[in-house]
């Protein structure tokens, strides 16, 4: 690989800032081991600071941001204006994937099953439960399971109302009792499915980023037919949104009905020591450094 000048965007101002910093740290180490000249950039809302950090202009941007501002098309649009090739998906795919309402409408229209859902306001939920308990509430535009709660009891509901900090719009969905299956896609190939068995109620933020909080089963122990089905669904979702580079798609699997339900597609999956895409890739014989090298090679602008 030709050695490049690469700026790694990390941090940001979303609820996933600490995850992004961890991803960025891992990426920087890999890029340095690959021999690239690396500039870490802790992104804030100060655009003058960002412009200065990107001067002189790098060859490539490795986007290790997560969440609002970094994963939703905003920073991608700025990089399109600057015409600097960047990793992961472009403006439109990033914006649509991050918006769980828009993406679910597309998935439903194209025959990909999703949980029964509705968008409600915080006031609506105070007046009446959106679904019979148990049900799930989550932000429309967040990742890493930030803000996700399973409402089983009135106490759960009261806690949700007290702690909610993600705006007036709430995505509510019927609870699906099942297995948590996640699929990694590289370019135009679904490379594998992993099952996550959290030790607590579900694969929440703590379970994702705390060692020992969840069991990872790679490959996911599914029948050959079911395994292929979930790979096909993830690749179809990736293509529908026009994604590129690496993505991870999260499913719930109702084993009794042999039915997968797509929860969300992540256009910038974590690169932390506990993140899943590199674990899926490793099962295919792809090292973390090889994964990062491939992502750098795929960096581009939309236009």
């Amino acid at each position: 690989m030709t050695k490049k000048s690469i700026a790694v965007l990390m941090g940001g101002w979303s609820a996933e800032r600490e995850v992004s910093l961890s991803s960025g740290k891992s990426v920087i180490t890999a890029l340095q081991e690959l021999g690239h000249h690396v500039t870490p950039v802790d992104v804030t809302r100060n655009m003058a600071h960002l412009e200065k950090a990107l001067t002189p202009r790098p060859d490539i941007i490795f986007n290790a941001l997560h969440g609002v501002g970094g994963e939703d098309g905003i920073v991608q649009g700025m990089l399109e204006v600057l015409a600097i090739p960047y990793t992961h998906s472009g403006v439109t795919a990033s914006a649509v994937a991050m918006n769980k309402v828009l993406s679910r409408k597309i998935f439903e229209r194209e025959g990909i099953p999703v949980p029964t859902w509705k968008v409600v306001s915080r006031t609506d939920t105070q007046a009446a439960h959106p679904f019979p308990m148990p049900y799930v509430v989550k932000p429309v535009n967040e990742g890493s399971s930030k803000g996700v709660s399973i409402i089983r009891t009135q106490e759960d509901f009261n806690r949700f109302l007290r702690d909610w900090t993600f705006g007036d719009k709430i995505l509510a969905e019927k609870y699906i009792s099942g297995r948590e299956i996640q699929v990694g896609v590289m370019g135009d190939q679904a490379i594998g499915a992993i099952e996550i068995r959290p030790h607590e109620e579900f694969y929440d933020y703590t379970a994702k980023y705390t060692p020992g909080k969840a069991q990872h089963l790679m490959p996911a122990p599914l029948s050959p037919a079911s395994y292929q089905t979930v790979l096909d669904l993830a690749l179809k979702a990736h293509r529908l949104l026009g994604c590129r580079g690496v993505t991870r798609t999260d499913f719930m699997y109702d084993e009794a009905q042999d039915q997968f339900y797509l929860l969300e597609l992540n256009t910038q999956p974590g690169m932390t020591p506990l993140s899943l895409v590199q674990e899926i890739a490793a099962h295919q014989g792809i090292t973390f450094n090889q994964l990062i090298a491939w992502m750098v090679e795929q960096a581009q602008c939309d236009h």
Side-chain angles (χ1 to χ4, degrees):
M1 176 186 286
T2 304
K3 304 311 177 187
K4 304 284 188 180
S5 169
I6 303 177
V8 178
L9 304 189
M10 54 199 287
W13 58 87
S14 78
E16 298 177 73
R17 174 177 169 79
E18 294 305 316
V19 179
S20 173
L21 290 172
S22 180
S23 286
K25 182 178 178 181
S26 296
V27 168
I28 288 167
T29 298
L31 291 173
Q32 289 173 336
E33 290 175 354
L34 290 165
H36 297 294
H37 175 72
V38 184
T39 302
V41 181
D42 189 346
V43 177
T44 68
R45 291 181 182 271
N46 187 333
M47 292 298 102
H49 174 268
L50 181 58
E51 182 181 8
K52 182 178 179 180
L54 297 181
T55 305
R57 171 193 174 105
D59 297 318
I60 290 171
I61 298 290
F62 194 106
N63 187 359
L65 293 166
H66 298 310
V68 174
E71 195 171 353
D72 55 6
I74 291 176
V75 78
Q76 290 82 359
M78 183 195 71
L79 297 175
E80 291 287 341
V81 173
L82 295 175
I84 304 175
Y86 55 95
T87 60
H88 300 87
S89 295
V91 176
T92 302
S94 299
V96 175
M98 190 68 175
N99 188 309
K100 295 181 180 68
V101 174
L102 289 177
S103 58
R104 285 184 179 207
K105 287 181 178 179
I106 293 171
F107 297 147
E108 285 180 316
R109 185 191 67 193
E110 298 298 329
I112 298 178
V114 299
T116 301
W117 61 278
K118 64 176 69 173
V119 176
V120 295
S121 70
R122 196 169 186 276
T123 302
D124 291 336
T125 62
Q126 289 175 310
H129 289 284
F131 293 109
M133 292 186 279
Y135 61 91
V136 179
V137 290
K138 59 181 65 172
V140 171
N141 287 292
E142 288 289 346
S144 291
S145 299
K146 282 286 190 178
V148 178
S149 296
I150 299 175
I151 309 301
R152 297 182 183 276
T153 65
Q154 188 62 38
E155 183 180 351
D156 293 335
F157 177 73
N158 294 340
R159 186 184 306 111
F160 144 68
L161 286 179
R162 183 184 67 242
D163 297 341
W164 182 263
T165 59
F166 299 96
D168 188 53
K169 286 186 177 181
I170 298 165
L171 177 64
E173 63 186 32
K174 288 188 176 180
Y175 176 74
I176 296 171
S177 177
R179 296 161 58 185
E180 302 193 38
I181 309 294
Q182 310 201 7
V183 179
V185 173
M186 284 180 68
D188 203 37
Q189 181 181 0
I191 60 171
I194 190 170
E195 180 174 356
I196 302 302
R197 295 182 181 175
H199 300 324
E200 302 297 333
E201 189 167 34
F202 71 102
Y203 194 45
D204 62 5
Y205 183 87
T206 300
K208 287 180 177 179
Y209 303 111
T210 306
K213 290 290 187 178
Q215 182 182 11
H216 297 189
L217 303 177
M218 181 65 214
L222 301 166
S223 71
S226 295
Y227 194 91
Q228 188 61 50
T229 294
V230 76
L231 295 187
D232 292 344
L233 288 171
L235 184 57
K236 182 178 180 179
H238 178 100
R239 289 170 171 170
L240 278 173
L241 300 192
C243 297
R244 64 171 187 253
V246 170
T247 63
R248 192 195 74 242
T249 306
D250 303 343
F251 296 87
M252 289 298 297
Y253 177 48
D254 182 340
E255 191 168 14
Q257 302 297 321
D258 192 24
Q259 180 68 66
F260 292 96
Y261 294 91
L262 194 158
L263 301 180
E264 64 179 288
L265 185 153
N266 302 271
T267 55
Q268 286 173 216
M271 293 289 143
T272 74
L274 291 178
S275 294
L276 302 178
V277 166
Q278 53 264 46
E279 188 172 349
I280 295 171
H283 190 262
Q284 301 298 327
I286 303 168
T287 68
F288 184 67
N289 283 13
Q290 288 171 333
L291 176 65
I292 297 301
W294 181 88
M295 295 169 75
V296 168
E297 291 173 350
Q298 301 301 310
Q300 59 180 286
C301 291
D302 279 346
H303 303 290

